[in-house]
Amino acid sequence: MIAFDGLHLSSFLDFGYRGEFRLYANLELASVGVLVLAAAIRWGALSNWAILLRPTRRITTFLGLLIAALALTAGLLVDPSARSLAAFKPINPVAQPVTWSISILALLLGAIQQEIWFRALLQTSLTRVLANRWLSIAISAAAGAYLQPGHGADTFCLSFFLGIVFHRTQSLFCTTALHIVFSLTMGVLYGGTFMVASLVNPSAMVRPDRLVSTGLLIAAAIFEMRHRRAPHQIRQHKALGLNLCLLVGVFFFNLILEKLLAPVGRAAVAMTDWLNPSFIWKVQLGAHFLITAIVLARFRWGPALRDLFAPRFRVTGILGLITALIPWLAAVIALRNEFFGGHFELRPSLFTSVEIWRVSVFPVAINAFSEELVFRACVQPLLSRVLCSAWAGALISTWAFVSLHPSENWAFLMPGSLILAIAFMHTQSVVCTTVLHILLNLSRDFLYGDEFTVSEFISFDAFHETATPVYLGLSWLFVIGLAWWGRKREGRPSAPFVFSQLSSR
């Protein structure tokens, strides 16, 4: 639920009551959204009012109860010391009728205006322009999450879930009702404009938020599969069951590999001074999933090894150059004076010392290669196979990649990971995505880091405060361009792993 506050948008979950301003801001956004929606319907660009306002009672009721139960279950997993039923206190509608009315109206109008703008207008428009519903759902969800600072992962997953529901039902009434149910439940648990004191301390939200985010994505996947219509559904359900068994088998296979390789890692740490446990863990992780990728390729459950380790020099060079230049272009546009007035000088030891390569450069390459083996070579193909959709596999593997990294880097990780996922989807080369991964990391390190340079070329704080919107805009433009390039490339013999045939393998 969002409302304009200066030059940014803020969420109703920003813990604190802001009075009439939030109500008027949401009322304005909802009113303008209804007018734009009416104009789009009048010109035939969107579905008519009867479809958009269709209640879809069974779906709305079932999904509403599901997400409410999910949020409440997550609240029960919080440390008991963070829960206080005695302190729980909503605003009293009898004692404070005006304050309560303003809070509830702000919440309702916020849900309405967000669903109008992000679902009915943005998502529908992007679907028509890009001719790809998965990409349009992801972009509209990312836009909604970015405009609600502090609630990135759970807001993205909620928007992604509502995007799939809207695509399948075309009911604005349904998604708005689900949004309201989720907001009310989370508000009761963690605080909202209609609460004086919440049931759970907001500082204890991290673990439950991950459960809620994961549950929303699982619910989205189940809802999508449930509403697919295909002429051979029995065969598809059988393939789904076999693929789920494959996922379970891969999981246990990696558990066995971990037990077998753990003594090797401990011995390596004991024998050397410069190998730390974190680095050894990354090497072991890469070894686990390298063996997994080989097994998947051997049984034709994933990309062939000749494609997985193909360098694809031309594509890798072009995409790597663009990927590396995005942070620098953002700095040129947003921080022109600091960029042209800065002093860039590499450390002399970078060319003379083996130690800096062993301690800094080599771990960067190993980390990137290990993560690409995990998320691109194994997780993404398996998810694409289970869901019978290359885009679903790319988006869910992107979310998994982002969720396992620090949340403060979410704005940079989401478009970067999506670039890697789309590049892998169309090249099937883990060598290509590893090079892109390394170049993206090194490009940012050279720009505002001091590990490889004598001093910071651009201030880290200045880049994050000023250049982040420009960086995100350029990154999402590149994502759209990469998706368009992939569509143009489809059908060529060089696209080796045809995801549309996964369910029949």
Side-chain angles (χ1 to χ4, degrees):
M1 220 150 298
I2 54 177
F4 276 110
D5 182 11
L7 296 178
H8 68 279
L9 293 168
S10 57
S11 166
F12 90 100
L13 287 173
D14 286 338
F15 309 119
Y17 171 65
R18 297 190 181 184
E20 296 181 0
F21 170 77
R22 188 180 304 278
L23 172 63
Y24 293 147
N26 284 334
L27 179 60
E28 182 180 355
L29 285 171
S31 302
V32 175
V34 169
L35 291 176
V36 175
L37 189 62
I41 293 173
R42 177 67 179 83
W43 294 330
L46 295 176
S47 304
N48 57 45
W49 288 108
I51 296 176
L52 287 174
L53 299 180
R54 185 176 53 186
T56 58
R57 294 182 184 86
R58 292 177 60 186
I59 294 176
T60 304
T61 303
F62 175 76
L63 293 180
L65 292 173
L66 177 66
I67 60 177
L70 178 64
L72 292 173
T73 303
L76 294 176
L77 296 178
V78 176
D79 185 358
S81 62
R83 295 196 302 264
S84 177
L85 188 59
F88 174 70
K89 184 180 179 182
I91 295 176
N92 191 335
V94 177
Q96 298 174 291
V98 176
T99 303
W100 183 85
S101 300
I102 290 175
S103 301
I104 296 299
L105 284 174
L107 186 149
L108 297 178
L109 288 172
I112 293 170
Q113 58 93 355
Q114 186 170 348
E115 292 308 307
I116 289 174
W117 285 104
F118 289 111
R119 240 63 64 196
L121 294 175
L122 180 61
Q123 180 178 321
T124 305
S125 301
L126 287 174
T127 301
R128 293 200 173 194
V129 171
L130 302 176
N132 188 302
R133 66 184 178 94
W134 288 104
L135 186 58
S136 64
I137 291 172
I139 293 176
S140 59
Y146 175 70
L147 293 174
Q148 298 189 65
H151 308 286
D154 57 330
T155 306
F156 175 82
C157 294
L158 174 65
S159 298
F160 191 83
F161 169 73
L162 294 177
I164 291 179
V165 173
F166 180 78
H167 174 78
R168 287 299 177 185
T169 64
Q170 292 297 302
S171 172
L172 196 62
F173 177 91
C174 176
T175 57
T176 303
L178 296 178
H179 197 144
I180 292 171
V181 169
F182 183 82
S183 300
L184 286 172
T185 310
M186 297 295 284
V188 168
L189 286 175
Y190 306 121
T193 57
F194 55 92
M195 297 295 299
V196 176
S198 60
L199 182 63
V200 177
N201 186 346
S203 62
M205 286 179 62
V206 177
R207 183 184 172 191
D209 271 358
R210 291 178 179 175
L211 176 62
V212 171
S213 302
T214 305
L216 287 171
L217 288 182
I218 294 174
I222 294 174
F223 185 81
E224 168 68 16
M225 290 186 290
R226 171 67 181 80
H227 282 77
R228 286 197 174 210
R229 294 291 181 263
H232 306 292
Q233 285 191 344
I234 296 177
R235 190 178 68 179
Q236 284 195 343
H237 292 164
K238 180 180 177 181
L240 174 62
L242 292 174
N243 291 331
L244 289 175
C245 292
L246 173 63
L247 281 179
V248 175
V250 169
F251 174 75
F252 284 105
F253 179 70
N254 276 278
L255 288 180
I256 296 171
L257 283 178
E258 184 179 0
K259 298 294 184 182
L260 293 175
L261 295 177
V264 179
R266 289 194 293 268
V269 173
M271 292 171 57
T272 57
D273 298 330
W274 60 277
L275 289 178
N276 57 62
S278 175
F279 178 76
I280 290 296
W281 181 80
K282 282 285 187 180
V283 173
Q284 287 181 330
L285 186 69
H288 294 171
F289 285 91
L290 176 61
I291 297 172
T292 303
I294 293 173
V295 172
L296 292 175
R298 175 65 182 82
F299 290 98
R300 299 186 64 193
W301 293 332
L305 292 179
R306 65 176 180 274
D307 300 317
L308 200 61
F309 296 104
R312 305 200 185 282
F313 294 108
R314 182 179 176 184
V315 173
T316 303
I318 295 173
L319 297 183
L321 178 63
I322 298 173
T323 302
L325 286 178
I326 288 176
W328 293 77
L329 289 175
V332 170
I333 295 171
L335 300 167
R336 182 180 297 272
N337 294 333
E338 189 171 348
F339 184 88
F340 290 104
H343 176 68
F344 182 80
E345 182 181 355
L346 295 174
R347 289 181 181 271
S349 57
L350 191 61
F351 304 100
T352 59
S353 173
V354 179
E355 184 69 19
I356 192 172
W357 283 82
R358 190 175 65 182
V359 174
S360 299
V361 179
F362 187 52
V364 168
I366 291 297
N367 288 348
F369 184 59
S370 298
E371 290 179 350
E372 292 307 304
L373 282 174
V374 175
F375 293 100
R376 249 60 70 179
C378 294
V379 174
Q380 185 173 330
L382 286 172
L383 289 173
S384 300
R385 182 184 182 92
V386 169
L387 300 174
C388 299
S389 170
W391 278 101
L395 294 175
I396 297 177
S397 64
T398 295
W399 172 82
F401 178 86
V402 171
S403 66
L404 294 177
H405 286 75
S407 58
E408 58 268 17
N409 297 329
W410 184 88
F412 292 88
L413 288 169
M414 177 59 72
S417 178
L418 196 55
I419 288 170
L420 298 176
I422 297 175
F424 182 79
M425 184 169 64
H426 294 297
T427 65
Q428 296 300 294
S429 171
V430 77
V431 175
C432 174
T433 58
T434 300
V435 172
L436 299 185
H437 196 147
I438 293 172
L439 289 176
L440 187 58
N441 288 342
L442 291 179
S443 176
R444 296 209 304 262
D445 287 338
F446 284 137
L447 182 62
Y448 51 72
D450 57 2
E451 191 172 2
F452 303 107
T453 56
V454 175
S455 61
E456 287 185 347
F457 178 60
I458 296 290
S459 168
F460 176 82
D461 294 332
F463 186 89
H464 275 258
E465 292 174 5
T466 307
T468 295
V470 180
Y471 173 81
L472 290 175
L474 293 174
S475 298
W476 284 111
L477 284 176
F478 184 42
V479 167
I480 295 171
L482 195 58
W484 176 83
W485 166 77
R487 287 192 65 212
K488 298 288 287 185
R489 195 170 180 271
E490 283 177 359
R492 294 186 183 182
S494 57
F497 192 54
V498 183
F499 287 96
S500 61
Q501 299 173 356
L502 283 172
S503 60
S504 62
R505 282 194 176 187

